[in-house]
Amino acid sequence: MAGEQGSRQVSTFCALCVARCGAKATITDGAFVALHPDPSHPTGQALCVKGKAGPELVNHPERLLHPLRRTQPKGAADPGWQRITWDEALDTVSARLLALAREHGPESVVFSNASPSTSAISDVVDWVTRLRRAFGSPNHCTYLELCAWGRMLAPMFTFGAAVPGEYLPDLEHAGCILFWGYNPSVARLTHATGTVAALARGARLVVVDPRRVGLAAKADHWLPVRPGTDAALALSLAHVMIERGWFDADFVRRWTNAPLLVRRDTGRLLRAHEVSPGGDPAHYVAWDEVAGEPAAYDPATSRHQVGEERLALAGERTIATQSGVVVCRPVFDLVVEECRRMTPAVAEKVTGVPAVEIERTARTLWEARPVAFYTWSGLEQHSGTTQIVRAIGQLYALTGSLDIRGGNVLFPSVPANRVDGPELLAPSQRARTVGLAKRPLGGARFEYVTGEDLFTAALDSDPYRVRGLVNFGANLVMAHGDSARGRDALAALDFFVHADMFLNPTAELADIVLPVASAFETEGLRIGFEISEAAQSLVQLRSPLVAPRGESRSDLQIIFALATRLGLAEHFWHGDVDAAWRHQLAPSGVTLEQLRAEPAGIRVPLSTRYRKYAEPDGDGPRGFRTPSRKVELYSEVLADHRYPPLPEFEEPPTSPRSRPGLARRYPLILTCAKSLRFCESQHRNVASLRRAALDQQIELHPDTALARGIAAGDWVRIDTPHGSVRARARLNGGLDPGVVCGQHGWWQACAELGLPGYPPYGPGSANLNLVLRQGPSDPVGGNSPLRSSVCEVAPLPLDEPTPA
């Protein structure tokens, strides 16, 4: 802190993304001057360039240092920011929010935050949720459909749990690692270093990615799938494994709903009361091959009437029911039929992955088990994300690797009290979540609102008008497709308060802006670091490395102060953050005082148990948290809402195959990828990060560029059906010639390097999301097709000026 002399090292962790890499900070004469990896920390084997740029971020001259109030109307070229005091800011915010709640209901206010996976908001996302619920709003916009649905919620239709979001890859013991739409080298360095170590001991690696980047160069199998066709590839791999007998038949028979019978006439699972007058309507039915008759299955006990080894997985059965004779087939028979449609030869034409490579990869997935897999936003941003995730979940179930050593494991966690406050929101309010009527199985049933639904509610009053927004760090107009519509939606709000470290295109639309201190200037409590048992055992309170600049405050301080102003102090320990943390820590046995005395953290002994689904629970095994308590290859929940109950492939609705007329003008498939150097749309104003990425880029295959008269480094125009933006051409021989890859989030200038910024809207923009749409979105999860669209790329016309 100020006044200190000499140099010292402080144990900490970088909070800028989900990796939360363990680190050592160098403090010299009271100044934060460097951040380095800390190999003694379970996530500290490496540190990316973003973390190393921490001192620049803290000391950046463009930091917000004081609360600001807009003095000019929305839409004015200059918001006319006026510096105000914290008291003025908090009083204004609380008064406006309370007025909206009183006049229009608390649901008229949406709470939002940046993605916890790609920002430091992971420190406080549960506290944002608590504030929202205490206020009475069911509406939380947190990029779920861009960065979490595929890992966290869509897998629940198959496993009843977040696989791989919570059942994490046990890289240390894996025989085969499968990364699908995920490049840990730019997203989670702990997975990258763990994979390199696994390969060194002989593990196999499969990477599914349109681009040959990162660890794909080390992969035994790199499958360059056409963006948006991942479900076809997963079904084809499953087909090969089933046809060759390369699947865990015991796991499939005992722990999935593969033996349950499906009625041909209704497409529903057969129930026991339909077969026998005394049958239980809650019981399902399988076919006992030994006795040649139906056999009931009780999901309450996870037990079949007969031994699972007697149950049929194939064959058509004619069964007499109370209402007549019906024809039924086991779920697995239907799975086999659906997968058979996607032979490797067919899949090659659809996905671009060679049939021979599909065959080889299927063999590896079987012979190199156990399989540990992970996926991320490469699968989130498609119109068919839910079916893609379902198909990959089915494929993973065939390997039998769930919750076994070396597979995907639900590691234990240090006990702690929940602080997100589910009890604070009444069910009647939860039922008012925006988007729930449109997508009842989507994120809205967990109180999450998509960007598409937020913009629609603000502009079209559907299902009602959203009038207020409390936003912690989310750059909504740059993160979502339809950027101009996002701008219009935020401008239409009655009141908008934005908390952040820097002004950005979203903040420019706010009424009040609050200055946020960086994670390096504030305390942050982390109970467990995922990744492994050792990482989960660590509890760490991150110490402030330096004092917050100006009048900036931590997100947590802002939340607690705002809660007090809103009359919610009783739910926030009367504004005492330490008291709240003590409550959170109480079950762990670790005290706040111990953590402050041990900046490197305290380890709580944990022990991992495997195959927890097989552990006794009442009259039977625990099973899974699905309606059948089995892994559900066939989802009756989806069927009830008229969605496909089995994983299937549907061509992306905007592609050269589905829109051949459109393809004549826009023949290239446009996808996008995360940059290693930036936290999504943030930090392009940091010189050390921008120096190696001067401009927005679009990657093209050299043949694609040559055919269009484009050379490496040329300024080009990316044309989509919705407009044009600019970028520099980068040649990549690892891309399919029909695919190009851009980056979202370009708007900031970098004054230190004399590099320009770009307008977020209109001529001269480099904002890729300006020319991408939020729809057609995934019918279940609402995912936007930002990674599977169409475009053309051409040299920038000579009469169109390029940035200096």
Side-chain angles (χ1 to χ4, degrees), residues 465-527:
R465 187 179 166 205
V466 164
R467 296 172 178 272
L469 179 65
V470 181
N471 185 27
F472 290 89
N475 193 356
L476 294 164
V477 299
M478 299 297 295
H480 293 278
D482 282 321
S483 291
R485 181 170 169 82
R487 171 201 60 200
D488 295 344
L490 297 187
L493 296 170
D494 293 351
F495 182 71
F496 170 22
V497 55
H498 182 92
D500 216 327
M501 287 181 61
F502 297 92
L503 286 173
N504 59 39
T506 297
E508 294 287 345
L509 296 161
D511 297 283
I512 297 287
V513 174
L514 304 177
V516 174
S518 74
F520 302 107
E521 300 164 297
T522 60
E523 284 188 313
L525 177 62
R526 189 71 204 165
I527 303 175

Side-chain angles (χ1 to χ4, degrees), residues 245-396:
W246 297 338
F247 68 97
D248 190 332
D250 184 68
F251 180 85
V252 168
R253 194 183 300 270
R254 291 178 181 275
W255 298 110
T256 80
N257 67 353
L260 301 186
L261 294 173
V262 181
R263 296 177 57 135
R264 177 191 287 176
D265 57 346
T266 64
R268 302 301 303 273
L269 294 171
L270 185 66
R271 303 288 179 141
H273 76 285
E274 296 174 306
V275 176
S276 169
D280 191 324
H283 292 185
Y284 302 99
V285 178
W287 185 260
D288 179 355
E289 287 193 295
V290 176
E293 63 185 17
Y297 166 70
D298 180 5
T301 62
S302 297
R303 288 191 182 278
H304 285 275
Q305 186 178 344
V306 300
E308 285 92 343
E309 71 280 358
R310 297 167 56 135
L311 302 178
L313 291 182
E316 192 171 85
R317 303 289 186 272
T318 301
I319 298 175
T321 72
Q322 300 296 301
S323 59
V325 174
V326 299
V327 176
C328 300
R329 294 168 66 189
V331 164
F332 196 68
D333 212 24
L334 299 176
V335 168
V336 172
E337 181 178 68
E338 187 64 40
C339 292
R340 192 178 290 132
R341 303 178 199 277
M342 200 55 67
T343 64
V346 172
E348 179 175 349
K349 294 176 182 178
V350 172
T351 69
V353 177
V356 65
E357 194 59 23
I358 294 174
E359 295 265 4
R360 291 170 179 164
T361 302
R363 178 185 287 274
T364 295
L365 291 174
W366 176 244
E367 294 181 346
R369 293 176 305 146
V371 178
F373 97 100
Y374 205 75
T375 181
W376 208 337
S377 51
L379 298 187
E380 304 277 3
Q381 298 167 20
H382 300 283
S383 299
T385 288
T386 301
Q387 286 299 319
I388 290 171
V389 170
R390 286 269 293 148
I392 295 171
Q394 176 177 272
L395 173 67
Y396 189 65

Side-chain angles (χ1 to χ4, degrees), residues 640-696:
D640 285 344
H641 290 81
R642 300 184 179 181
Y643 301 124
L646 288 172
E648 62 180 42
F649 168 68
E650 183 176 348
E651 179 68 27
T654 306
S655 80
R657 281 172 165 257
S658 59
R659 301 280 301 277
L662 198 62
R664 284 191 285 273
R665 184 173 177 186
Y666 305 102
L668 300 174
I669 297 167
L670 173 61
T671 192
C672 57
K674 183 181 186 298
S675 168
L676 167 66
R677 311 193 70 81
F678 310 116
C679 289
E680 306 303 347
S681 66
Q682 305 174 69
H683 308 158
R684 286 168 178 79
N685 57 345
V686 176
S688 67
L689 300 178
R690 186 71 176 271
R691 197 170 276 116
L694 301 180
D695 305 293
Q696 155 74 301

Side-chain angles (χ1 to χ4, degrees), residues 145-146 380-383 773-775 777 782-787:
E145 76 278 22
L146 303 180
E380 304 277 3
Q381 298 167 20
H382 300 283
S383 299
R773 290 294 178 261
Q774 293 178 303
S777 54
N783 305 72
S784 299
L786 303 181
R787 292 181 183 250

Side-chain angles (χ1 to χ4, degrees), residues 60-368:
H60 201 282
E62 295 171 4
R63 282 273 305 273
L64 282 167
L65 301 179
H66 310 284
L68 302 173
R69 174 168 53 206
R70 168 184 294 278
T71 62
Q72 296 297 320
K74 303 282 181 75
D78 180 3
W81 295 121
Q82 179 186 72
R83 177 177 170 179
I84 57 175
T85 68
W86 269 103
D87 282 338
E88 289 176 292
L90 293 171
D91 286 344
T92 300
V93 172
S94 59
R96 295 296 298 275
L97 295 181
L98 289 171
L100 288 175
R102 184 171 56 251
E103 295 167 17
H104 305 287
E107 67 273 13
S108 67
V109 178
V110 172
F111 287 68
S112 181
N113 54 256
S115 168
S117 296
T118 56
S119 75
I121 205 67
S122 59
D123 273 358
V124 299
V125 66
D126 284 349
W127 296 103
V128 176
T129 302
R130 186 180 186 87
L131 177 64
R132 172 181 60 78
R133 286 171 168 163
F135 181 76
S137 173
N139 294 316
H140 198 152
C141 187
T142 181
Y143 295 178
L144 177 81
E145 76 278 22
L146 303 180
C147 190
W149 175 256
R151 284 176 299 141
M152 304 301 294
L153 295 183
M156 294 179 71
F157 297 116
T158 303
F159 301 104
V163 181
E166 292 179 324
Y167 280 75
L168 296 165
D170 182 10
L171 302 178
E172 186 178 353
H173 305 107
C176 178
I177 297 168
L178 170 61
F179 288 146
W180 200 309
Y182 174 53
N183 178 7
S185 299
V186 304
R188 199 168 192 163
L189 282 186
T190 40
H191 278 172
T193 55
T195 299
V196 170
L199 296 179
R201 62 167 173 78
R204 309 290 294 279
L205 176 62
V206 177
V207 174
V208 184
D209 195 315
R211 305 159 71 227
R212 192 173 190 179
V213 293
L215 291 170
K218 298 179 179 293
D220 297 274
H221 306 280
W222 167 54
L223 309 184
V225 65
R226 176 167 66 93
T229 66
D230 304 80
L233 178 58
L235 291 170
S236 189
L237 288 165
H239 165 71
V240 175
M241 294 176 72
I242 292 169
E243 287 290 301
R244 304 288 190 275
W246 297 338
F247 68 97
D248 190 332
D250 184 68
F251 180 85
V252 168
R253 194 183 300 270
R254 291 178 181 275
W255 298 110
T256 80
N257 67 353
L260 301 186
L261 294 173
V262 181
R263 296 177 57 135
R264 177 191 287 176
D265 57 346
T266 64
R268 302 301 303 273
L269 294 171
L270 185 66
R271 303 288 179 141
H273 76 285
E274 296 174 306
V275 176
S276 169
D280 191 324
H283 292 185
Y284 302 99
V285 178
W287 185 260
D288 179 355
E289 287 193 295
V290 176
E293 63 185 17
Y297 166 70
D298 180 5
T301 62
S302 297
R303 288 191 182 278
H304 285 275
Q305 186 178 344
V306 300
E308 285 92 343
E309 71 280 358
R310 297 167 56 135
L311 302 178
L313 291 182
E316 192 171 85
R317 303 289 186 272
T318 301
I319 298 175
T321 72
Q322 300 296 301
S323 59
V325 174
V326 299
V327 176
C328 300
R329 294 168 66 189
V331 164
F332 196 68
D333 212 24
L334 299 176
V335 168
V336 172
E337 181 178 68
E338 187 64 40
C339 292
R340 192 178 290 132
R341 303 178 199 277
M342 200 55 67
T343 64
V346 172
E348 179 175 349
K349 294 176 182 178
V350 172
T351 69
V353 177
V356 65
E357 194 59 23
I358 294 174
E359 295 265 4
R360 291 170 179 164
T361 302
R363 178 185 287 274
T364 295
L365 291 174
W366 176 244
E367 294 181 346

Side-chain angles (χ1 to χ4, degrees), residues 405-430:
R405 182 181 170 94
N408 276 60
V409 179
L410 182 63
F411 292 111
S413 57
V414 174
N417 282 322
R418 286 184 66 171
V419 296
D420 58 346
E423 72 284 357
L424 298 177
L425 189 68
S428 58
Q429 280 298 100
R430 189 170 290 113

Side-chain angles (χ1 to χ4, degrees), residues 522-590:
T522 60
E523 284 188 313
L525 177 62
R526 189 71 204 165
I527 303 175
F529 284 77
E530 302 170 351
I531 301 298
S532 64
E533 178 186 295
Q536 280 290 79
S537 74
L538 184 64
V539 182
Q540 189 173 9
L541 184 70
R542 191 185 63 246
S543 303
L545 303 178
V546 289
R549 288 183 57 200
E551 294 181 293
S552 62
R553 297 183 181 181
S554 72
D555 289 299
L556 194 56
Q557 289 173 320
I558 295 171
I559 290 167
F560 273 61
L562 188 54
T564 300
R565 288 298 212 289
L566 290 169
L568 306 173
E570 63 178 309
H571 301 304
F572 284 82
W573 290 265
H574 298 282
D576 187 341
V577 172
D578 281 7
W581 276 340
R582 288 191 177 95
H583 167 79
Q584 191 175 4
L585 286 166
S588 72
V590 177

